[in-house]
Amino acid sequence: QKYYSKRLDEELQRSRRFQQPLCVVKLGLDDYSEIEKSLGEPARDLIFKNLATLIQKSSRSHDAACRTDENEISLILPNCKKSEAEVRAERLRRMVETNSLINNGLKMTISLGACEYPSMCSTAQKLDEGATRSLQFIMSKGGNKVCFFKAPSGHKPDFNPAQGAKA
């Protein structure tokens, strides 16, 4: 959690300096408590290890993935627009849906919540909170989907990510 917070602050500062977008995507296993109860903690740990391998295979070298809660992995995606993060999150969701994360062949699904700086928030804390709220919302609706945070009314972005960095 400490590493995640520090890295998110650093990436937001870099993003602001170079006027590049930054996304946070949070993912959680659907039906987590049922999986843990029926399969046990060793199986749960194996599932997260295999999920981490899938994330690593689909990540860019400068992305960061951190386990930030019992059923939460947070991805920090520097220089990544909302549309790119959405494609990436959906690809990851489908990879999990079509692969078995454990040797017994049990299929699992994940839910993903995301937020983008600067179009949806202006601080690292709000970026994290937006992704968390999006994840919680989509999980409460049944999961197995990607959900983006909606910018609060009156939010003024620091810059327009579509225009890129100023010369």
Side-chain angles (χ1 to χ4, degrees), residues 111-131:
S111 296
L112 300 102
C115 190
E116 181 201 52
Y117 167 81
S119 66
M120 299 173 183
C121 62
S122 56
T123 67
Q125 181 180 352
K126 294 290 183 191
L127 184 59
D128 179 70
E129 289 171 2

Side-chain angles (χ1 to χ4, degrees), residues 101-115:
L101 294 177
I102 194 162
N103 295 336
N104 69 2
L106 178 67
K107 298 290 183 177
M108 288 168 216
T109 59
I110 57 173
S111 296
L112 300 102
C115 190

Side-chain angles (χ1 to χ4, degrees), residues 141-157:
K141 300 294 181 189
N144 197 24
K145 289 192 175 27
V146 176
C147 177
F148 261 86
F149 180 72
K150 184 179 177 188
S153 62
H155 172 69
K156 302 269 190 246

Side-chain angles (χ1 to χ4, degrees), residues 30-40:
D30 296 328
D31 304 316
Y32 173 77
S33 57
E34 292 172 24
I35 290 168
E36 188 176 44
K37 284 177 189 172
S38 62
L39 300 176

